[in-house]
């Protein structure tokens, strides 16, 4: 389990204050580095926690961190990643809901990284594909009902509308099948 950013930052600050008071050997430059690392640690942990909170049941792992050791001998998180299940659902409705949650998790931090934005774009494509499938299902039931219409003009109009929807669906399908970034982790916060 990850140490909370507040306790990490406050313990680093407490240690910094104690070391300054006791003159325990950190130069002003080393202290500046420690302070910068402590701030980075706090930002990274908050960023990854935002992903975890929004991911809910789609998180496949807790946050994992990349560390750097400061001049004070302590390890500070300078990068991180949260594993997210980005697979589609069993139904178009489920896929759409999952895609929306993935996108929300990817964009949850105040400052999403480039990798976060790529995952959000991948989720948007997955949502578009699910919407296309839902539209096909809806147009399939509308096409069956259209010939039963009493008026031949309304049947022709319904077929025309269905063909246009199918054409749009085909275009969206091509967009949805475009190459997406590999991987299922949200972010390497670097």
């Amino acid at each position: 389990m990850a140490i909370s950013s507040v306790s990490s930052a406050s313990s680093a600050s407490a240690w910094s204050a104690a070391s300054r008071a006791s003159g325990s050997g950190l130069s002003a430059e080393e202290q500046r580095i420690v302070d910068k690392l402590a701030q980075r640690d706090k930002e990274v942990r908050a960023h990854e926690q935002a992903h975890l909170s929004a991911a809910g049941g789609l998180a496949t792992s807790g946050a994992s961190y990349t560390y750097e050791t400061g001049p004070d001998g302590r390890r500070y998180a300078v990068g991180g990643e949260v594993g997210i299940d980005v697979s589609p659902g069993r139904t178009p409705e489920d896929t759409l809901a999952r895609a929306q949650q993935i996108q929300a998790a990817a964009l949850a931090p105040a400052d999403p990284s480039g990798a976060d934005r790529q995952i959000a774009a991948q989720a948007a494509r997955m949502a578009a594909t699910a919407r296309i499938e839902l539209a096909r299902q809806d147009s399939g039931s509308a096409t069956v009902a259209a010939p039963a219409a009493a008026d031949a003009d309304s049947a022709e109009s319904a077929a025309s509308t269905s063909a246009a929807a199918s054409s749009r669906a085909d275009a969206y399908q091509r967009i949805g099948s475009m190459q997406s970034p590999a991987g299922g982790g949200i972010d390497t916060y670097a």
Side-chain angles (χ1 to χ4, degrees):
M1 173 163 269
I3 299 171
S4 109
S5 60
V6 174
S7 65
S8 162
S10 62
S11 64
S13 295
W15 185 88
S16 295
S19 68
R20 273 186 247 134
S22 68
S24 67
L26 285 183
S27 69
E29 176 63 18
E30 289 171 327
Q31 187 58 52
R32 187 188 64 75
I33 292 170
V34 166
D35 292 343
K36 188 174 180 181
L37 286 171
Q39 179 62 32
R40 177 71 174 166
D41 183 274
K42 181 179 177 182
E43 291 168 359
V44 167
R45 291 178 191 279
H47 184 100
E48 299 311 326
Q49 186 56 48
H51 287 310
L52 276 173
S53 295
L58 295 180
T60 59
S61 67
S64 62
Y65 298 103
T66 304
Y67 295 95
E68 184 175 317
T69 303
D72 58 355
R74 293 179 183 254
R75 291 176 10 133
Y76 297 92
V78 294
E81 182 174 292
V82 172
I84 301 291
D85 179 0
V86 295
S87 63
R90 289 179 287 172
T91 65
E93 293 87 356
D94 187 33
T95 298
L96 182 58
R98 289 173 67 90
Q100 290 169 339
Q101 188 172 6
I102 292 165
Q103 194 169 25
L107 300 175
D111 58 342
S113 69
D116 294 340
R117 285 181 170 71
Q118 285 179 341
I119 295 295
Q122 179 183 358
R125 286 189 294 274
M126 186 166 61
T129 301
R131 285 186 187 100
I132 291 165
E133 186 59 34
L134 287 170
R136 282 186 181 153
Q137 289 175 359
D138 288 346
S139 70
S141 60
T143 304
V144 170
D151 184 18
D153 287 339
S154 63
E156 182 177 315
S157 175
S160 172
T161 302
S162 178
S166 178
S167 176
R168 280 192 307 271
D170 289 341
Y172 287 131
Q173 181 65 39
R174 286 191 303 273
I175 291 169
S177 67
M178 295 171 78
Q179 185 66 28
S180 62
I186 289 185
D187 168 84
T188 299
Y189 188 69

